Amino acid sequence: QVQLVESGGGSVLAGGSLTLSCVASGNPASINVVWFRQAPGKEREAIAIIYAIDGRRYYADSVKGRFTISQDSSKRTVYLQLDSLKPEDTAMYYCAAPHQVTLRGSTLVRVADYKYPGPGTQVTVSS
């Protein structure tokens, strides 16, 4: 079974940047990875996905142009670069293996289920 562990969260001012990491262990050795977030009292929101086999990437409209997902297969690590952060980006950020992904063009619309999510890493953006 896959285990995923997130890191890299923190507290920043609006306009700042953070780099989150998601390290995988276990089997299978290669998986697709989605980053999602959840703020208190809100539903989970899928924000970025990367496909392991060819590196295709898709983003939710809420983060498109500001966040960048990438992978280093040799390290079994998926990164999420967060730039131009806004207070509304404040949430717990998780990585997981996606199940039932809905895409529309270049946009990540929805993920029905998240498998093997890690413990998460907190991102707090203050104005």
Side-chain angles (χ1 to χ4, degrees), residues 59-104:
Y59 301 92
D61 283 338
S62 60
V63 305
K64 199 174 291 185
R66 300 188 300 121
F67 292 6
T68 304
I69 191 170
S70 61
Q71 62 183 355
D72 184 337
S73 300
S74 66
K75 297 180 179 179
R76 299 191 66 185
T77 301
V78 172
Y79 303 97
L80 187 67
Q81 177 68 34
L82 286 60
D83 295 316
S84 302
L85 282 161
K86 305 175 181 179
E88 51 263 45
D89 294 318
T90 295
M92 187 72 81
Y93 284 68
Y94 304 86
C95 60
H99 179 63
Q100 292 187 351
V101 178
T102 301
L103 303 173
R104 185 180 302 124

Side-chain angles (χ1 to χ4, degrees), residues 1 11 14 16 26 35 58 61 66 73-74 81 96-97 106 109-110 116:
Q1 181 169 312
S11 298
W35 281 96
Y58 300 88
D61 283 338
R66 300 188 300 121
S73 300
S74 66
Q81 177 68 34
S106 64
V109 175
R110 182 177 179 270
Y116 321 119

